[in-house]
Amino acid sequence: MTKALFFDIDGTLVSFETHRIPTSTIEALEAAHAKGLKIFIATGRPKTIINNLSELQDRNLIDGYITMNGAYCFVGEQVIYKSAIPQEEVKAMAAFCEKKGVPCIFVEEHHISVCQPDDMVKKIFYDFLHVDVIPTISFEEATSKEIIQMTPFITEEEEKEICPSIPTCEIGRWYPAFADITAKGDTKQKGMDEIIRYFDIKLEETMSFGDGGNDISMLRHAAIGVAMGQAKEDVKAAADYVTAPIDEDGISKAMKHFGITTGAIKIALV
């Protein structure tokens, strides 16, 4: 019996095309919640820029949040897990980005800031994701704070270059232009474990939904992992089931397929 549903935001709950949650998804989550299932968010976004879930929040459909790719988890006002990046590795990333002349977003527990922003930050975070303008600070100021997540605008080649300097960090991507970096072990899988421990839910009672590279750990970890139809092949390969794309009612169709909204739960075919 599935008792907990974990959802990525961008590309899973919220369409990249419309920037809205499909009506069919809202209705499916309402039906699941009415049956007693818990609904959790699992996102790379920090709390301060979760700005696109009001249609769920206003209906009180969200029971808890995994944010910053698992590094910061909370239920209501209670923080149930928090993990910071070692200061020396924050300094290493700051020095690397400053040398390369690329932006880096630094996320604290309650604040977010950016160093040397450029047109790519504007294009992706402001124009595409509709995030409010992020305050600009110096790299020196950024490295003086407790940092939970870093988002450098580096290529995959540059990622390989900096890797030896941040050996106790996790690196994930959900958008090609940047990477999300957290302390080692902080992934959406870790966030799932913290949430189900808090609610006394068994792993075999979980289902997760995602579309990006940073969703792979939770798709593999959940009893049933569902990849969105528009996801890349490595994400689909990590899932137990591939549903339709988000803009073709993928969430609703998957929940019907597994009986979440229509009856008995089906067994996933790997």
Side-chain angles (χ1 to χ4, degrees), residues 19 49 51 105 112-114 117-136:
H19 303 287
I49 63 169
N51 59 358
I105 295 171
I112 183 171
S113 52
V114 61
D118 62 6
D119 287 343
M120 190 62 74
V121 173
K122 178 181 183 298
K123 178 182 177 182
I124 298 173
F125 277 77
Y126 307 154
D127 298 341
F128 184 54
L129 297 177
H130 303 298
V131 170
D132 290 339
V133 174
I134 300 169
T136 300

Side-chain angles (χ1 to χ4, degrees), residues 103-200:
C104 187
I105 295 171
F106 293 90
V107 187
E108 305 163 61
E109 182 171 9
H110 301 297
H111 299 96
I112 183 171
S113 52
V114 61
C115 297
Q116 55 190 31
D118 62 6
D119 287 343
M120 190 62 74
V121 173
K122 178 181 183 298
K123 178 182 177 182
I124 298 173
F125 277 77
Y126 307 154
D127 298 341
F128 184 54
L129 297 177
H130 303 298
V131 170
D132 290 339
V133 174
I134 300 169
T136 300
I137 63 172
S138 67
F139 281 108
E140 183 179 7
E141 187 177 355
T143 56
S144 69
K145 302 174 183 296
E146 181 185 64
I147 301 300
I148 298 175
Q149 180 168 277
M150 304 182 289
T151 301
F153 284 66
I154 56 176
T155 65
E156 291 188 14
E157 285 304 311
E158 288 169 330
E159 179 185 315
K160 293 174 184 176
E161 192 178 339
I162 186 61
C163 255
S165 299
I166 52 170
T168 66
C169 283
E170 294 279 351
I171 303 177
R173 287 180 183 266
W174 60 271
Y175 197 87
F178 57 79
D180 279 340
I181 297 173
T182 54
K184 182 70 76 177
D186 291 333
T187 63
K188 292 187 180 184
Q189 173 180 333
K190 172 64 174 175
M192 280 185 63
D193 286 339
E194 295 297 330
I195 289 283
I196 64 176
R197 181 181 298 114
Y198 180 85
F199 283 93
D200 194 24

Side-chain angles (χ1 to χ4, degrees), residues 12-15 18 20-27 246-247 249:
T12 300
L13 283 177
V14 178
S15 167
T18 67
R20 297 289 301 274
I21 303 172
T23 299
S24 63
T25 297
I26 297 171
E27 292 173 348
I246 180 173
D247 293 303
D249 303 317

